[in-house]
Short mmCIF file of all heavy atoms in Angstrom, two decimals:
data_model
loop_
_atom_site.label_atom_id
_atom_site.label_comp_id
_atom_site.label_asym_id
_atom_site.label_seq_id
_atom_site.Cartn_x
_atom_site.Cartn_y
_atom_site.Cartn_z
N MET E 221 11.89 8.20 32.14
CA MET E 221 13.27 7.72 32.15
C MET E 221 14.24 8.87 31.90
O MET E 221 15.24 9.02 32.61
CB MET E 221 13.45 6.64 31.08
CG MET E 221 14.87 6.08 31.01
SD MET E 221 15.05 4.99 29.59
CE MET E 221 14.84 6.16 28.24
N LEU E 222 13.94 9.69 30.89
CA LEU E 222 14.80 10.84 30.57
C LEU E 222 14.86 11.82 31.73
O LEU E 222 15.92 12.40 32.03
CB LEU E 222 14.29 11.54 29.32
CG LEU E 222 15.06 12.76 28.84
CD1 LEU E 222 16.51 12.41 28.51
CD2 LEU E 222 14.37 13.38 27.63
N LEU E 223 13.74 12.00 32.41
CA LEU E 223 13.66 12.94 33.53
C LEU E 223 14.60 12.54 34.66
O LEU E 223 15.07 13.40 35.43
CB LEU E 223 12.22 13.02 34.03
CG LEU E 223 11.83 14.19 34.92
CD1 LEU E 223 12.14 15.52 34.25
CD2 LEU E 223 10.34 14.09 35.26
N GLY E 224 14.91 11.27 34.75
CA GLY E 224 15.82 10.80 35.79
C GLY E 224 17.23 11.34 35.65
O GLY E 224 18.01 11.31 36.61
N PHE E 225 17.59 11.83 34.47
CA PHE E 225 18.92 12.39 34.26
C PHE E 225 19.04 13.82 34.77
O PHE E 225 20.10 14.42 34.74
CB PHE E 225 19.29 12.34 32.77
CG PHE E 225 19.61 10.95 32.29
CD1 PHE E 225 18.61 10.13 31.81
CD2 PHE E 225 20.91 10.47 32.33
CE1 PHE E 225 18.90 8.84 31.36
CE2 PHE E 225 21.21 9.18 31.90
CZ PHE E 225 20.20 8.37 31.41
N TYR E 226 17.90 14.38 35.24
CA TYR E 226 17.88 15.71 35.83
C TYR E 226 17.46 15.58 37.29
O TYR E 226 16.53 14.84 37.60
CB TYR E 226 16.90 16.63 35.10
CG TYR E 226 17.03 16.64 33.60
CD1 TYR E 226 16.13 15.93 32.82
CD2 TYR E 226 18.04 17.35 32.97
CE1 TYR E 226 16.22 15.93 31.43
CE2 TYR E 226 18.14 17.34 31.59
CZ TYR E 226 17.23 16.64 30.83
OH TYR E 226 17.34 16.64 29.46
N GLU E 227 18.11 16.29 38.15
CA GLU E 227 17.78 16.19 39.57
C GLU E 227 16.63 17.12 39.93
O GLU E 227 16.43 18.15 39.31
CB GLU E 227 19.02 16.52 40.41
CG GLU E 227 20.14 15.51 40.25
CD GLU E 227 21.28 15.76 41.22
OE1 GLU E 227 21.08 15.50 42.41
OE2 GLU E 227 22.34 16.20 40.76
N GLY E 228 15.90 16.74 40.99
CA GLY E 228 14.82 17.59 41.45
C GLY E 228 13.75 16.79 42.19
O GLY E 228 13.42 15.67 41.80
N LYS E 229 13.23 17.36 43.27
CA LYS E 229 12.20 16.70 44.07
C LYS E 229 10.92 16.47 43.26
O LYS E 229 10.25 15.45 43.40
CB LYS E 229 11.89 17.55 45.31
CG LYS E 229 12.95 17.50 46.39
CD LYS E 229 12.97 16.13 47.05
CE LYS E 229 13.98 16.09 48.20
NZ LYS E 229 14.04 14.74 48.82
N GLU E 230 10.58 17.44 42.41
CA GLU E 230 9.37 17.31 41.62
C GLU E 230 9.49 16.12 40.67
O GLU E 230 8.53 15.38 40.46
CB GLU E 230 9.11 18.60 40.83
CG GLU E 230 7.75 18.62 40.15
CD GLU E 230 7.44 19.96 39.52
OE1 GLU E 230 8.33 20.82 39.47
OE2 GLU E 230 6.30 20.13 39.07
N ALA E 231 10.68 15.93 40.10
CA ALA E 231 10.91 14.81 39.20
C ALA E 231 10.75 13.49 39.94
O ALA E 231 10.12 12.55 39.45
CB ALA E 231 12.30 14.91 38.57
N GLU E 232 11.30 13.40 41.14
CA GLU E 232 11.23 12.15 41.91
C GLU E 232 9.78 11.77 42.20
O GLU E 232 9.39 10.60 42.05
CB GLU E 232 12.00 12.29 43.21
CG GLU E 232 12.01 11.02 44.04
CD GLU E 232 12.78 11.17 45.33
OE1 GLU E 232 12.30 11.92 46.22
OE2 GLU E 232 13.85 10.55 45.44
N LYS E 233 8.97 12.72 42.62
CA LYS E 233 7.56 12.45 42.93
C LYS E 233 6.83 11.97 41.68
O LYS E 233 6.05 11.00 41.73
CB LYS E 233 6.92 13.73 43.48
CG LYS E 233 5.40 13.70 43.60
CD LYS E 233 4.89 12.64 44.55
CE LYS E 233 3.37 12.79 44.74
NZ LYS E 233 2.78 11.61 45.40
N LEU E 234 7.09 12.62 40.55
CA LEU E 234 6.42 12.26 39.32
C LEU E 234 6.80 10.84 38.88
O LEU E 234 5.94 10.04 38.50
CB LEU E 234 6.79 13.28 38.23
CG LEU E 234 6.01 13.22 36.92
CD1 LEU E 234 5.90 14.62 36.33
CD2 LEU E 234 6.68 12.30 35.93
N LEU E 235 8.08 10.51 38.96
CA LEU E 235 8.55 9.17 38.59
C LEU E 235 7.96 8.11 39.51
O LEU E 235 7.57 7.02 39.07
CB LEU E 235 10.07 9.10 38.62
CG LEU E 235 10.83 10.06 37.70
CD1 LEU E 235 12.32 9.80 37.76
CD2 LEU E 235 10.34 9.94 36.27
N TRP E 236 7.91 8.42 40.78
CA TRP E 236 7.33 7.50 41.77
C TRP E 236 5.87 7.21 41.46
O TRP E 236 5.43 6.06 41.46
CB TRP E 236 7.47 8.12 43.16
CG TRP E 236 6.88 7.33 44.28
CD1 TRP E 236 5.65 7.50 44.85
CD2 TRP E 236 7.51 6.25 45.01
NE1 TRP E 236 5.46 6.61 45.88
CE2 TRP E 236 6.60 5.82 45.98
CE3 TRP E 236 8.73 5.63 44.91
CZ2 TRP E 236 6.87 4.79 46.88
CZ3 TRP E 236 9.02 4.59 45.79
CH2 TRP E 236 8.11 4.18 46.75
N ASP E 237 5.13 8.27 41.16
CA ASP E 237 3.70 8.11 40.87
C ASP E 237 3.48 7.27 39.61
O ASP E 237 2.63 6.36 39.60
CB ASP E 237 3.04 9.48 40.69
CG ASP E 237 2.88 10.22 42.01
OD1 ASP E 237 2.91 9.57 43.07
OD2 ASP E 237 2.73 11.45 41.98
N TYR E 238 4.23 7.57 38.57
CA TYR E 238 4.02 6.84 37.32
C TYR E 238 4.49 5.40 37.41
O TYR E 238 3.89 4.51 36.79
CB TYR E 238 4.69 7.55 36.14
CG TYR E 238 3.77 8.54 35.50
CD1 TYR E 238 3.85 9.90 35.80
CD2 TYR E 238 2.78 8.13 34.61
CE1 TYR E 238 2.99 10.82 35.23
CE2 TYR E 238 1.90 9.03 34.04
CZ TYR E 238 2.02 10.38 34.34
OH TYR E 238 1.13 11.27 33.79
N PHE E 239 5.54 5.13 38.16
CA PHE E 239 5.97 3.74 38.34
C PHE E 239 4.83 2.92 38.93
O PHE E 239 4.48 1.84 38.42
CB PHE E 239 7.20 3.65 39.24
CG PHE E 239 7.51 2.24 39.66
CD1 PHE E 239 8.13 1.37 38.78
CD2 PHE E 239 7.13 1.77 40.91
CE1 PHE E 239 8.37 0.04 39.14
CE2 PHE E 239 7.38 0.45 41.29
CZ PHE E 239 8.01 -0.41 40.40
N HIS E 240 4.24 3.41 40.01
CA HIS E 240 3.17 2.66 40.68
C HIS E 240 1.90 2.61 39.84
O HIS E 240 1.18 1.61 39.86
CB HIS E 240 2.90 3.27 42.06
CG HIS E 240 3.97 2.96 43.05
ND1 HIS E 240 5.05 3.77 43.25
CD2 HIS E 240 4.14 1.88 43.88
CE1 HIS E 240 5.84 3.23 44.17
NE2 HIS E 240 5.31 2.10 44.57
N TYR E 241 1.64 3.68 39.10
CA TYR E 241 0.46 3.66 38.22
C TYR E 241 0.61 2.58 37.15
O TYR E 241 -0.32 1.80 36.91
CB TYR E 241 0.27 5.02 37.56
CG TYR E 241 -0.94 5.07 36.65
CD1 TYR E 241 -2.20 5.33 37.16
CD2 TYR E 241 -0.81 4.80 35.28
CE1 TYR E 241 -3.32 5.35 36.32
CE2 TYR E 241 -1.92 4.81 34.45
CZ TYR E 241 -3.16 5.08 34.97
OH TYR E 241 -4.27 5.08 34.13
N PHE E 242 1.79 2.51 36.53
CA PHE E 242 2.02 1.49 35.50
C PHE E 242 1.98 0.08 36.08
O PHE E 242 1.45 -0.83 35.46
CB PHE E 242 3.37 1.73 34.82
CG PHE E 242 3.39 2.90 33.87
CD1 PHE E 242 4.49 3.75 33.81
CD2 PHE E 242 2.31 3.16 33.03
CE1 PHE E 242 4.51 4.83 32.94
CE2 PHE E 242 2.32 4.24 32.16
CZ PHE E 242 3.43 5.08 32.11
N LYS E 243 2.54 -0.08 37.27
CA LYS E 243 2.53 -1.40 37.90
C LYS E 243 1.10 -1.85 38.20
O LYS E 243 0.76 -3.03 38.08
CB LYS E 243 3.36 -1.37 39.19
CG LYS E 243 4.85 -1.26 38.98
CD LYS E 243 5.46 -2.55 38.47
CE LYS E 243 5.60 -3.57 39.57
NZ LYS E 243 6.34 -4.78 39.11
N GLU E 244 0.27 -0.90 38.60
CA GLU E 244 -1.10 -1.24 38.97
C GLU E 244 -1.99 -1.47 37.75
O GLU E 244 -2.82 -2.40 37.74
CB GLU E 244 -1.70 -0.11 39.83
CG GLU E 244 -3.14 -0.38 40.25
CD GLU E 244 -3.72 0.72 41.12
OE1 GLU E 244 -2.97 1.61 41.56
OE2 GLU E 244 -4.95 0.69 41.34
N HIS E 245 -1.84 -0.64 36.73
CA HIS E 245 -2.76 -0.69 35.59
C HIS E 245 -2.22 -1.42 34.36
O HIS E 245 -3.00 -1.76 33.47
CB HIS E 245 -3.15 0.74 35.20
CG HIS E 245 -3.91 1.48 36.26
ND1 HIS E 245 -5.27 1.36 36.42
CD2 HIS E 245 -3.48 2.33 37.23
CE1 HIS E 245 -5.66 2.11 37.43
NE2 HIS E 245 -4.61 2.71 37.95
N PHE E 246 -0.91 -1.64 34.29
CA PHE E 246 -0.32 -2.32 33.14
C PHE E 246 0.70 -3.35 33.62
O PHE E 246 1.86 -3.36 33.19
CB PHE E 246 0.38 -1.31 32.22
CG PHE E 246 -0.53 -0.25 31.65
CD1 PHE E 246 -0.61 1.00 32.25
CD2 PHE E 246 -1.30 -0.51 30.53
CE1 PHE E 246 -1.45 1.98 31.73
CE2 PHE E 246 -2.14 0.47 30.00
CZ PHE E 246 -2.21 1.72 30.60
N GLU E 247 0.26 -4.25 34.48
CA GLU E 247 1.20 -5.19 35.09
C GLU E 247 1.78 -6.18 34.08
O GLU E 247 2.84 -6.77 34.31
CB GLU E 247 0.53 -5.95 36.22
CG GLU E 247 -0.67 -6.80 35.82
CD GLU E 247 -1.23 -7.57 37.01
OE1 GLU E 247 -0.47 -7.78 37.97
OE2 GLU E 247 -2.42 -7.94 36.96
N ASP E 248 1.12 -6.36 32.93
CA ASP E 248 1.63 -7.28 31.91
C ASP E 248 2.51 -6.57 30.88
O ASP E 248 2.98 -7.20 29.93
CB ASP E 248 0.48 -7.99 31.20
CG ASP E 248 -0.30 -8.90 32.14
OD1 ASP E 248 0.33 -9.46 33.06
OD2 ASP E 248 -1.52 -9.05 31.96
N GLU E 249 2.69 -5.27 31.02
CA GLU E 249 3.52 -4.48 30.11
C GLU E 249 4.82 -4.08 30.82
O GLU E 249 5.00 -4.36 32.01
CB GLU E 249 2.77 -3.24 29.65
CG GLU E 249 1.44 -3.52 28.96
CD GLU E 249 1.61 -4.16 27.59
OE1 GLU E 249 2.75 -4.12 27.05
OE2 GLU E 249 0.62 -4.69 27.05
N THR E 250 5.70 -3.40 30.09
CA THR E 250 6.99 -2.99 30.68
C THR E 250 7.10 -1.47 30.80
O THR E 250 8.19 -0.93 30.95
CB THR E 250 8.16 -3.52 29.83
OG1 THR E 250 8.05 -3.00 28.48
CG2 THR E 250 8.16 -5.03 29.77
N TYR E 251 5.97 -0.77 30.75
CA TYR E 251 5.99 0.69 30.88
C TYR E 251 6.65 1.14 32.18
O TYR E 251 7.29 2.20 32.24
CB TYR E 251 4.57 1.26 30.83
CG TYR E 251 3.82 1.02 29.54
CD1 TYR E 251 2.51 0.55 29.55
CD2 TYR E 251 4.41 1.29 28.30
CE1 TYR E 251 1.81 0.34 28.38
CE2 TYR E 251 3.71 1.08 27.12
CZ TYR E 251 2.41 0.61 27.16
OH TYR E 251 1.72 0.40 26.00
N SER E 252 6.48 0.36 33.24
CA SER E 252 7.02 0.75 34.55
C SER E 252 8.54 0.86 34.54
O SER E 252 9.13 1.52 35.41
CB SER E 252 6.58 -0.24 35.63
OG SER E 252 7.07 -1.54 35.33
N ASP E 253 9.21 0.24 33.56
CA ASP E 253 10.67 0.31 33.50
C ASP E 253 11.17 1.73 33.28
O ASP E 253 12.24 2.10 33.76
CB ASP E 253 11.20 -0.59 32.37
CG ASP E 253 11.29 -2.04 32.79
OD1 ASP E 253 10.91 -2.36 33.93
OD2 ASP E 253 11.72 -2.87 31.95
N GLY E 254 10.39 2.55 32.55
CA GLY E 254 10.81 3.92 32.30
C GLY E 254 11.01 4.73 33.57
O GLY E 254 12.11 5.19 33.86
N PRO E 255 9.94 4.91 34.37
CA PRO E 255 10.11 5.64 35.64
C PRO E 255 11.04 4.94 36.61
O PRO E 255 11.73 5.60 37.39
CB PRO E 255 8.68 5.74 36.19
CG PRO E 255 7.87 4.74 35.44
CD PRO E 255 8.52 4.60 34.10
N LEU E 256 11.09 3.60 36.58
CA LEU E 256 12.00 2.88 37.48
C LEU E 256 13.45 3.19 37.14
O LEU E 256 14.28 3.44 38.03
CB LEU E 256 11.75 1.37 37.37
CG LEU E 256 12.62 0.47 38.25
CD1 LEU E 256 12.45 0.83 39.73
CD2 LEU E 256 12.28 -1.01 38.02
#
Side-chain angles (χ1 to χ4, degrees):
M221 180 188 66
L222 180 60
L223 196 56
F225 287 89
Y226 311 102
E227 294 187 72
K229 285 290 184 182
E230 189 173 8
E232 182 180 69
K233 169 62 173 167
L234 190 149
L235 300 185
W236 178 263
D237 287 340
Y238 270 99
F239 169 77
H240 286 91
Y241 180 84
F242 286 140
K243 289 287 283 187
E244 180 179 350
H245 296 276
F246 300 97
E247 61 177 337
D248 294 328
E249 303 290 345
T250 59
Y251 297 133
S252 61
D253 279 1
L256 180 59

